[in-house]
Amino acid sequence: MRLSRFYMPLMKETPAEAQIVSHRLMLRAGLIRQQSAGIYAWLPLGKRVLAKIEGIVREEQNRAGAVEVLMPTIQSADLWRESGRYDAYGPEMLRIVDRHDREMLYGPTNEEMITTIFRDTVKSYRALPLNLYHIQWKFRDEIRPRFGVMRGREFLMKDAYSFDIDGEAARRAYRRMFIAYLRTFARMGLKSVPMRADTGPIGGDLSHEFIILADTGESQVFCHRDLIEMPVPGADFDYEGDTEAVVAQRTSLYAATEEMHDAAAFEALPEDKRVTARGIEVGHIFYFGTKYSKPLGAKVAGPDGNDVLVEMGSYGIGVSRLVAAIIEASHDENGIVWPESVAPFDLALVNLKPGDAATDEACARIYRELGAAGRDVLYDDTDERVGAKFAAMDLIGLPWQLIVGPKGLAKGEVEVKDRRSGARETLTVEAAIGRFAAKPAA
Ligand code: ATP
Ligand code: MG
């Protein structure tokens, strides 16, 4: 993409309304624009990051055996009356009346809908285990939307729903998602810690929140230090095999959100292992048994021919919240520092002197050859001041900058800057193309 043809409205001033660094940087770097309280338009850079995050979430859900569907944002109130949650959900639910006076709502979550879809289409235990997910916008009329997309009213969520024949199988489904979440967040450069959590309005008896530690986090959390650095299972992890060992290794160490905190069990840890921190919740998983299958009548014929209520769990990831969470975890005083896996472009190509024939030619060649190799390059071909170009590239945070100017080219050289460390290196044009043409493994 040529920057001269792109749309990337940067902001010079620090927006006064933004209290945390991710919100400030998302506005300044032109990722989002607020439309109403807690409701945002996604501009091209933000949209690209959202799509990258969505892609990683999707790959890891598929790898763990979940199957993608897409349910609507608008649901009928009757569906929620059947489960008994219509009144219980309270003012966070955006209620709508259509032209025929039918009561509708903008979905805050989809347990009811998926359970009725399952109920109406699956009749035998042979179809189980089954885990269906979608990535769809949700609306919750949060009492205090704040921190940009971190706590929005309209936000993008991945929500998966598992259906199993008995409690043991349901716990296996839960563990698969638990492991998929560890992998998902690690691939985004995040260290996530699963913590025992309250089940809240979703209900049920087993629940973990996946938290990343950050000073600006909304939740107070407590955990064993070893949990933070523990390596996550690799891409070749066998989800059909032993999931218990991985989960037990983590759940045996203390980790709890404030509501579930047991001060005595935490005092009991050696002092140097006790971490009290603030955290951002990026995912939340629940095992709730027959809480929805019972009122909604989701049964299958079991092996002996008798009907059994299915055991269910649900598994959410805050896809749009993750954009902000990653920035909270990865930025410096000059701007965002994207991990390669979610960066809006693979690298920036900075032309220091547009109009200079040799520089234009070298840039055109690099742009063409990297493009042919499948790399996504943002080519700054504008005639902005050099200082402004560097500041803009640091602000938007692409992991690499390939800097091309007449002085270096006279010696046959271009410069590569690593955004994270700031380290610079000079390479020949060929070497630079060779370096970036190879795509890193996922
Ligand atoms: P919270 O305690 O932060 O309100 P929750 O427990 O209500 O979260 P879930 O219902 O489990 O959240 O939703 C799944 C995920 O969706 C959460 O882990 C979070 O990452 C994300 N999420 C929830 N509410 C919002 C919101 N208002 N804005 C952005 N993301 C959200
Ligand atoms: Mg909530």
Side-chain angles (χ1 to χ4, degrees), residues 279-300:
I280 300 169
E281 178 194 326
V282 288
H284 199 165
I285 62 178
F286 304 84
Y287 164 53
F288 46 69
T290 58
K291 181 174 155 91
Y292 298 93
S293 56
K294 198 171 188 179
L296 296 167
K299 302 176 198 142
V300 293

Side-chain angles (χ1 to χ4, degrees), residues 89 92 108-109 111 138 140 142 145-146 148-159 198-202 209-210 218-219 280-286 315-322:
Y89 213 91
E92 267 199 16
T109 180
E111 279 82 8
K138 303 290 186 289
R140 295 181 185 176
E142 300 275 357
R146 56 184 179 152
V149 299
M150 192 77 88
R151 182 166 296 283
R153 292 198 296 165
E154 188 184 44
F155 60 96
L156 188 59
M157 195 204 284
K158 182 286 299 182
D159 38 326
D198 198 11
T199 54
I202 308 276
E209 283 178 10
F210 285 73
E218 287 184 290
S219 346
I280 300 169
E281 178 194 326
V282 288
H284 199 165
I285 62 178
F286 304 84
Y315 314 90
I317 289 183
V319 175
S320 50
R321 176 179 288 184
L322 273 165

Side-chain angles (χ1 to χ4, degrees), residues 82-229:
E82 263 190 83
S83 73
R85 269 211 295 185
Y86 188 65
D87 296 321
Y89 213 91
E92 267 199 16
M93 181 184 276
L94 180 66
R95 294 156 210 257
I96 306 166
V97 179
D98 75 7
R99 68 199 295 163
H100 304 292
D101 276 336
R102 279 189 289 248
E103 292 175 273
M104 313 292 285
L105 57 97
Y106 194 131
T109 180
N110 285 65
E111 279 82 8
E112 282 78 357
M113 189 178 283
I114 197 76
T115 305
T116 57
I117 291 173
F118 177 93
R119 173 191 71 193
D120 298 343
T121 55
V122 178
K123 302 295 175 197
S124 160
Y125 77 97
R126 287 198 189 82
L128 307 183
L130 185 64
N131 186 333
L132 301 174
Y133 76 97
H134 72 161
I135 301 175
Q136 177 62 292
W137 294 90
K138 303 290 186 289
F139 196 97
R140 295 181 185 176
D141 203 350
E142 300 275 357
I143 188 159
R144 219 147 75 85
R146 56 184 179 152
F147 303 153
V149 299
M150 192 77 88
R151 182 166 296 283
R153 292 198 296 165
E154 188 184 44
F155 60 96
L156 188 59
M157 195 204 284
K158 182 286 299 182
D159 38 326
Y161 303 89
S162 63
F163 302 89
D164 284 281
I165 189 71
D166 57 29
E168 194 186 316
R171 282 169 192 274
R172 196 173 313 130
Y174 184 91
R175 293 197 297 270
R176 285 187 189 181
M177 285 292 114
F178 188 108
I179 293 166
Y181 277 35
L182 294 174
R183 283 194 42 76
T184 300
F185 302 128
R187 282 185 60 186
M188 297 171 192
L190 298 172
K191 287 184 178 137
S192 71
V193 183
M195 304 199 175
R196 276 307 295 264
D198 198 11
T199 54
I202 308 276
D205 63 358
L206 178 59
S207 172
H208 284 88
E209 283 178 10
F210 285 73
I211 303 266
I212 63 154
L213 306 185
D215 294 340
T216 49
E218 287 184 290
S219 346
Q220 179 80 46
V221 293
F222 306 86
C223 74
H224 192 293
R225 187 171 300 283
D226 292 358
L227 269 175
I228 299 169
E229 298 295 335

Side-chain angles (χ1 to χ4, degrees), residues 382-424:
T382 66
D383 43 24
E384 272 287 342
R385 292 182 296 113
V386 168
K389 287 191 179 214
F390 286 147
M393 287 305 145
D394 280 355
L395 174 64
I396 69 167
L398 305 183
W400 302 99
Q401 297 168 15
L402 219 169
I403 302 157
V404 183
K407 267 196 213 137
L409 281 179
K411 294 181 277 173
E413 286 168 351
V414 296
E415 202 172 22
V416 172
K417 178 178 158 185
D418 176 343
R419 172 67 182 86
R420 187 172 297 278
S421 66
R424 290 164 180 270

